[in-house]
Amino acid sequence: MTSQFDEFDQQGKNPERNAGSIISHAFEMYKGVFLYGFVIMIITFIADYLLQILTGFSVWSHAESFRDLDDAEGMLWRNSNVRFYYSSTGLLNIVLTPLYLGLIYVTNKFNNKQQIEFTDIFIGYRQNLAQTLLYGLITTIIFYISLAMCGFPFLFVFPLFILGLPMLLFENLSATDAIGKAFNIAKQDYGVFLGVGILGGLLSISGLILCCIGIIFTIPFIYVVMYSAYCAYCGKPRQL
């Protein structure tokens, strides 16, 4: 029995504990799961579109107004639809957090060379849902505050949470335990996590240079980076 578990644990790949190896591993994984990431992004865009209809605010129709940042700020406070929309996006992000767990789960199945099913992307809604939503609430508040401070602090805060989502999924932790454990691991090797966060983030938004539409294909990459970082620091998880 022990030999069978050892053989199972040796399947797939594990990156080394450095930014280059983690990003490279994430690339290898993403090539096999990017279509699932694309589906998740389509769901996200549809949800955002419905939110715009509900709030009566269209991002694209007001794009010209946001070229002038001063005017954009004034518009934000004057227009109740705009305030409602941007306050609601945080709630939407929380509700969609289990989908991001789904991509991490799919990536692990790909790494373990197991068959992937379409319904796998919804595992976050079937497992540890309450804690996942709570995690989404806590991190959304933290990220919003860091972004509100000229955005710069976000670069240093985000790396501390890179391992949080995989821990929710693979270790079935509570939201606070996942945040605490992720923080403790990241702070011990913060330079690597900072590098992973910056490189992974830049690659995830690189789709903006392709007429913006390319971001649909690149944003999910950051969640695969989270999985690769988890494999490097916590070991490749067994398939759930």
Side-chain angles (χ1 to χ4, degrees):
M1 180 66 69
T2 301
S3 62
Q4 290 178 351
F5 277 119
D6 291 341
E7 180 182 357
F8 184 80
D9 287 337
Q10 291 171 3
Q11 292 179 10
K13 301 177 181 178
N14 247 12
E16 298 178 1
R17 293 184 177 182
N18 61 74
S21 179
I22 291 172
I23 295 297
S24 177
H25 180 270
F27 265 122
E28 289 299 314
M29 297 297 100
Y30 195 57
K31 287 189 294 185
V33 301
F34 78 93
L35 286 179
Y36 295 95
F38 174 74
V39 171
I40 290 173
M41 286 306 301
I42 292 298
I43 295 174
T44 301
F45 273 69
I46 292 175
D48 183 74
Y49 177 71
L50 294 175
L51 180 62
Q52 292 182 47
I53 294 177
L54 178 64
T55 59
F57 171 72
S58 173
V59 172
W60 298 108
S61 64
H62 290 84
E64 290 291 328
S65 301
F66 286 91
R67 290 186 176 182
D68 186 335
L69 293 180
D70 291 333
D71 182 65
E73 184 177 2
M75 178 183 176
L76 178 63
W77 292 108
R78 292 193 302 266
N79 192 320
S80 60
N81 289 342
V82 177
R83 294 197 303 270
F84 183 33
Y85 169 75
Y86 280 102
S87 61
S88 299
T89 53
L91 179 60
L92 178 62
N93 182 66
I94 295 169
V95 173
L96 293 176
T97 299
L99 272 181
Y100 311 141
L101 257 67
L103 181 58
I104 294 172
Y105 177 67
V106 165
T107 303
N108 188 51
K109 292 190 75 172
F110 175 76
N111 195 24
N112 284 317
K113 300 177 177 59
Q114 295 190 337
Q115 183 176 355
I116 300 173
E117 299 178 0
F118 176 76
T119 55
D120 288 337
I121 64 175
F122 300 106
I123 189 175
Y125 293 101
R126 303 191 301 267
Q127 174 181 306
N128 209 14
L129 177 59
Q131 293 302 319
T132 299
L133 295 177
L134 178 58
Y135 179 91
L137 173 62
I138 296 172
T139 54
T140 295
I141 293 173
I142 293 173
F143 292 158
Y144 271 31
I145 293 175
S146 63
L147 287 170
M149 301 170 64
C150 301
F152 193 66
F154 177 80
L155 296 177
F156 300 97
V157 171
F158 175 73
L160 298 171
F161 295 88
I162 286 178
L163 299 179
L165 285 176
M167 287 178 174
L168 279 175
L169 176 65
F170 299 120
E171 301 180 27
N172 205 34
L173 299 179
S174 68
T176 53
D177 286 344
I179 290 173
K181 186 173 181 179
F183 178 85
N184 288 332
I185 294 176
K187 73 177 183 180
Q188 294 177 8
D189 206 357
Y190 183 72
V192 172
F193 281 89
L194 180 62
V196 169
I198 291 176
L199 288 174
L202 289 175
L203 291 170
S204 294
I205 64 173
S206 62
L208 287 173
I209 65 176
L210 300 174
C211 302
C212 292
I213 194 66
I215 201 168
I216 297 177
F217 296 95
T218 58
I219 279 186
F221 179 69
I222 192 63
Y223 299 104
V224 179
V225 170
M226 293 177 180
Y227 170 76
S228 296
Y230 182 87
C231 288
Y233 282 86
C234 301
K236 184 177 65 63
R238 292 189 178 97
Q239 183 55 42
L240 299 177

